[in-house]
Structures are given as C-alpha cells and as structure tokens.
Amino acid sequence: MKIAFRVTPFILCLLACTVQSWAQWIQTNGPEGGRIASLAAIGTDIFAGTRYHGAFRSSDRGLSWVPVSVGFENDEILSMMAKDSFLYAGVPNRGLFVSSDRGDHWTSANVGLTAADLHDFAVIDSFIFVVSNSKGVFRTSNGGASWENVNGTVLDYREFTCLCASGSRLFAGGQSGVYASSDYGLSWSEVNEGLTQWSIRDIAVIDSHLFAASYLGGVFMSTDNGAHWSLKG
C-alpha cells in the first residue's frame, strides 16, 4: 500500500524553526564592560579583551567571568593569542604582555618590540609573529623574550592590521593589499593579483583556501596560496 505524506505549513514551520535553532547564539553573562575587542582560548578557559576594562576569563563557557588583567585593568586589549599554555595580549601604548598562568599574572615582553599598537598574531613552527599598524611585522623564536622586525624593505612605510599563517607561508594584510613570506618573514612579496580592493581587514584560511576580507569590496578567495584572488561575495 502506498502511503502519502503531506507537508503541511505547520511541518514546514517546525522544520524551519529546528534548522534555525541549530544556528542560534546565546549571549553570555558578561564580561563587565561589554565592548569586546579580542578573544583567545586555552583548554576550557576563554579570555576576552575589552575596550578600557582589561581582560576577563571564563572557565564555565561564559556563565561567569573574572578580571585577569592586574596592571592594566583600565586598558584596551586590542589583540590576544594563546600558544601552548601562554597567553599574549597587545595593549595600545604599552605593548605586549605575556601570562603563563592563564591571566593571573602578566609580564611585559617588549624587548626589541618598537611598536605599541599590536593588532594580530600568527604562529609558524617555533616562531610567533605580531603585526603593528605603524611598524609592520615582528617575530620571536623564544616565546616573546625578545623580538626582531622582519619588514625588510618591502613592508616599510606600509600599514598592516592582520596576519594569517597557511602551512609555512605567512600573509600580512592592510592598506596595501596582501603580502606573503615563505621564509619566516625574512623576505616578502606582493600577492594582489585579482584583488580589486586593496584595503584588507582580515585574512583566514580553511584547508588550502585563503579568504581576504576587504573594506567595502567584499570577500576574496585564493586557491593557490595567494598567487591569484577572485571575488566571492
């Protein structure tokens, strides 16, 4: 016997609501200050850097938050990154701070770092990279104990605000488009073919696909490690 099934408006509504529920976001209880500038995670702990209220930590998926920014409680945390058990925080006008105990204590890590506006981080092998809008790209191979500038002559006098690592290749994006390095920042080359908007705000990677978010120009994608870009939305 053939059984007929009729999809009623109620069932359609139920299915739509079910799909919508999979994509819901729930606001957490804080942290105090509200204006979040950066996020990072170590294990089950999540850290939020705020604008002018320092950093906060949650160990219960956002149900509660505790301040973890002794020494810069009233500062903006422009950028954050976690590597292994270390937490890094970029504080405008004060530079970089590092914590080895999940934010309970912080130490300054600015030896060789001549910039205080640190916007983004990236990691390749034992190297940590940080980018400054005013001074370009710096790297460290000792966890932040000392830094060196790796602009060469290519990145000098250009503004950059984002970094992205794809395998052993490092990308820097900013007002002059995208630049790439395959030798840990020792040399750089421009990789802007196909970009119709060169003001790049962020770069992300999924498998072998690179995505570049432009200012007022949409999102561009590259499938050949930045050699060519095409507009995707």
Side-chain angles (χ1 to χ4, degrees), residues 36-233:
I36 310 302
S38 54
L39 289 172
I42 298 178
T44 58
D45 288 339
I46 186 165
F47 301 85
T50 68
R51 296 180 67 90
Y52 315 118
H53 289 84
F56 291 79
R57 180 183 65 215
S58 175
S59 302
D60 53 13
R61 300 185 179 183
L63 292 178
S64 61
W65 297 84
V66 295
V68 287
S69 48
V70 175
F72 47 88
E73 297 91 338
N74 298 317
D75 286 303
E76 176 183 8
I77 312 300
L78 183 62
S79 56
M80 299 186 84
M81 186 205 68
K83 184 180 186 295
D84 302 324
S85 60
F86 291 89
L87 184 65
Y88 298 82
V91 182
N93 301 317
R94 300 187 62 183
L96 185 69
F97 289 82
V98 181
S99 173
S100 60
D101 55 9
R102 303 193 178 217
D104 289 336
H105 303 87
W106 297 85
T107 57
S108 175
N110 291 305
V111 175
L113 196 58
T114 58
D117 57 327
L118 307 176
H119 287 263
D120 203 4
F121 297 89
V123 176
I124 300 179
D125 298 331
S126 62
F127 288 98
I128 299 174
F129 300 86
V130 65
V131 67
S132 158
N133 190 42
S134 61
K135 297 294 182 66
V137 180
F138 295 80
R139 75 176 186 182
T140 178
S141 59
N142 52 22
S146 61
W147 297 84
E148 62 176 328
N149 184 275
V150 289
N151 286 345
T153 58
V154 177
L155 301 191
D156 276 347
Y157 309 110
R158 291 181 170 87
E159 296 181 0
F160 293 92
T161 56
C162 58
L163 290 175
C164 179
S166 178
S168 60
R169 198 162 165 85
L170 179 66
F171 296 88
Q175 296 299 319
S176 301
V178 181
Y179 285 73
S181 174
S182 298
D183 53 10
Y184 302 106
L186 294 179
S187 62
W188 295 87
S189 59
E190 179 184 310
V191 287
N192 287 326
E193 184 172 337
L195 289 179
T196 56
Q197 167 56 258
W198 283 20
S199 180
I200 302 302
R201 295 302 180 89
D202 208 354
I203 305 173
V205 60
I206 301 177
D207 299 325
S208 60
H209 293 67
L210 280 168
F211 297 87
S214 68
Y215 178 66
L216 299 179
V219 177
F220 293 82
M221 184 180 74
S222 173
T223 58
D224 54 9
N225 236 351
H228 305 86
W229 298 87
S230 59
L231 182 63
K232 290 301 176 182

Side-chain angles (χ1 to χ4, degrees), residues 3-67:
I3 300 175
F5 182 80
R6 183 185 177 192
V7 179
T8 66
F10 171 75
I11 294 176
L12 287 175
C13 181
L14 180 62
L15 290 173
C17 291
T18 301
V19 172
Q20 185 181 19
S21 69
W22 294 342
Q24 285 184 346
W25 290 82
I26 301 173
Q27 186 174 5
T28 66
N29 296 324
E32 180 184 351
R35 300 181 64 185
I36 310 302
S38 54
L39 289 172
I42 298 178
T44 58
D45 288 339
I46 186 165
F47 301 85
T50 68
R51 296 180 67 90
Y52 315 118
H53 289 84
F56 291 79
R57 180 183 65 215
S58 175
S59 302
D60 53 13
R61 300 185 179 183
L63 292 178
S64 61
W65 297 84
V66 295

